[in-house]
Amino acid sequence: MLCCLHLLPPPHGPLAARLGPVRTLWPAPGALCAELEQELLRELESAREFASSMGRLLAGGGSGSPGGEPGQGSGVALAQGTAEPFAVRQDVRGFAPEQLAVKLVGRTVLLTGRKETQSEDGKGSFSYKYEVFKREWDVPGAVDTDRLTCSISREGQLCIEAPCLAPPALPTRNVPIQLSGTG
């Protein structure tokens, strides 16, 4: 088996002086390894940045973006008055309303569907099909589960909705202004 060293003339022989610099088809081993090493270092740095941003996000101190500053909070601003109503849609084509059941268990909405189909071709062949599906969704704490509603559109889309809780009425009182003796 030949390698690039077998194809090169001796570096200080009479042939080397006549041929000048010899070029081979094989890359120099150092150049090939250097490229691989640089690529590996870039991948490691990228993975390190990703792990760092995920650590900040899980600790609650990051902005959720990889370049976010560690001191910025993300959950505090969302908790104040930006709650959205609960709304989910599920394709239930092929199921009649009596074959569906929607239950609220705690703060979880459970949707189940059951359908049986029997057919006979008249020649003694008989088929039976039983379909079951289940879906569940967690309802956020700012949603009024007592006002949960369900409806099915003509296109077979089941819509489960609930509005946000009304903000609590804040008590009001007058705060007297006192005169201080200084000043």
Side-chain angles (χ1 to χ4, degrees), residues 71-128:
Q72 295 176 347
S74 61
V76 177
L78 292 175
Q80 297 180 7
T82 60
E84 294 183 13
F86 177 77
V88 293
R89 298 194 190 294
Q90 178 67 45
D91 184 12
V92 292
R93 278 180 279 181
F95 286 86
E98 58 272 5
Q99 296 170 329
L100 300 169
V102 177
K103 292 182 183 179
L104 182 65
V105 179
R107 298 204 64 85
T108 302
V109 175
L110 302 171
L111 167 64
T112 56
R114 298 173 196 264
K115 178 169 74 168
E116 295 181 44
T117 308
Q118 299 178 8
S119 64
E120 188 174 348
D121 66 356
K123 298 179 184 177
S125 181
F126 179 79
S127 71
Y128 178 79

Side-chain angles (χ1 to χ4, degrees), residues 86-90 102 109-111 137 148-151 158-162:
F86 177 77
V88 293
R89 298 194 190 294
Q90 178 67 45
V102 177
V109 175
L110 302 171
L111 167 64
W137 300 274
L148 189 79
T149 61
C150 277
S151 61
L158 178 72
C159 183
I160 305 170
E161 298 175 313

